[in-house]
Amino acid sequence: MGESSVTIGTAPSTGGASTATASAAPSTTTTTTSSSSSSSSSTTTTTSSATTTTPTTTPAATTTTTTTGPTQTTITVTPVSVPVPVSDASGVISSVKPSDLGVTTVNTANIQVTQTGKAEAVKTATVADVDSALQTATADAKTALTEIKSAVSSGSASSVSVSTKVEVFEVKETTTNKTTTISKVTLSFTPDKDLKNVDLVEVIPKYVAQDASFIKFIGEQPKILQSDPVVQWSFSEVKQGEMKDLSYQVNKKIDSLNTTTIAVGQTVAAATTPTAATGAKPISSWAWIILGIIVLAIIVYWLYQRKILKF
């Protein structure tokens, strides 16, 4: 009989610690076969390696939600010192209380006016600004703001950019040397297209005026929607390029202003040029031929009557 022998060898294995992937060391198996009836021998060597992979966990995606709030920020007044001619400050002087200057009647000959502060910013209201104003609105103010929000949200009206200017003036009475301070806020806008149904609502903080009765409005008078205070100016139409200036004054110094200014309007549709009515049938060529024959007959008849033409 033939004689055979099998020898198997296994190499030691090592595993890594604290790793995401663990690898087993390769193992080697050697098989030797011999036969007495054969003069040849063969050796087969097989090398195998096993790799074990531990799945890694991918962090969950993070979702960030951004909430859009009111866009209108506080305007900070910059100190200045600019003398103002009395003739140019009549509106400011009209708000002065004589008792604040220690007199019974304000005499402009004894008045000196100096601008002591100024600031300016452009505001364009968003729906978030309207929502912010609605939080403290009551009665007529809430109704007006709700209508504005509905018009802007539906697209039937759009926001109008408004320039807000703050000016602070010191008024001095030269005979008593007493002074008082007047702050003036001017809202102005100039549309770049014809607008109709324009509304401008101004929400005035209580630190500026506790009540609308403490505010003096210059020029066009607004509707008082809320006494503490919310006011509204309305215009049936404002032409392209037409400037609107709306001002109010308070008898105090304003160092900063945090009003909410909301202005909206509807665009006036451009007039269309009437076009020729469609569907009218053109005059046929036969009609022109008949007309030509009639004219020719009239000419021949006229010549015959004049005996210019004889048959």
Side-chain angles (χ1 to χ4, degrees), residues 71-72 122-130 148 152 158-162 201 260-264:
T71 61
Q72 301 191 10
V122 176
K123 298 182 178 183
T124 304
T126 63
V127 172
D129 294 314
V130 180
I148 287 174
V152 173
S158 56
S159 294
V160 178
S161 296
V162 178
V201 174
T260 300
T261 305
I262 301 167
V264 298

Side-chain angles (χ1 to χ4, degrees), residues 204 208-217 229 231 247-250:
I204 304 170
V208 174
Q210 285 288 325
D211 189 272
S213 61
F214 294 101
I215 304 173
K216 179 171 184 177
F217 296 96
V231 299
S247 301
Y248 59 91
Q249 297 176 169
V250 291

Side-chain angles (χ1 to χ4, degrees), residues 36-50:
S36 59
S37 62
S38 175
S39 62
S40 63
S41 63
S42 63
T43 302
T44 302
T45 302
T46 303
T47 303
S48 63
S49 62

Side-chain angles (χ1 to χ4, degrees), residues 31-77:
T31 304
T32 304
T33 305
S34 63
S35 175
S36 59
S37 62
S38 175
S39 62
S40 63
S41 63
S42 63
T43 302
T44 302
T45 302
T46 303
T47 303
S48 63
S49 62
T51 302
T52 302
T53 303
T54 302
T56 57
T57 302
T58 303
T62 301
T63 302
T64 302
T65 302
T66 302
T67 302
T68 303
T71 61
Q72 301 191 10
T73 56
T74 301
I75 303 172
T76 302
V77 175

Side-chain angles (χ1 to χ4, degrees), residues 99-113:
S99 58
D100 291 341
L101 297 177
V103 294
T104 56
T105 304
V106 176
N107 184 352
T108 55
N110 300 327
I111 295 296
Q112 292 178 348
V113 181

Side-chain angles (χ1 to χ4, degrees), residues 268-298:
V268 177
T272 56
T273 303
T275 56
T278 58
K281 295 181 179 180
I283 300 175
S284 67
S285 57
W286 282 107
W288 288 111
I289 293 173
I290 294 173
L291 180 62
I293 292 173
I294 293 172
V295 172
L296 180 61
I298 293 173

Side-chain angles (χ1 to χ4, degrees), residues 238-256:
V238 181
K239 296 293 186 182
Q240 177 183 358
E242 179 184 355
M243 177 179 282
K244 288 292 184 181
D245 277 333
L246 312 167
S247 301
Y248 59 91
Q249 297 176 169
V250 291
N251 290 55
K252 62 166 51 177
K253 181 181 179 181
I254 295 178
D255 294 315
S256 62

Side-chain angles (χ1 to χ4, degrees), residues 156 158 193-198 236-240 265-271:
S156 62
S158 56
K193 51 194 168 186
D194 292 346
L195 298 177
K196 64 179 181 179
N197 301 327
V198 180
S236 58
E237 64 175 4
V238 181
K239 296 293 186 182
Q240 177 183 358
Q266 298 176 346
T267 303
V268 177

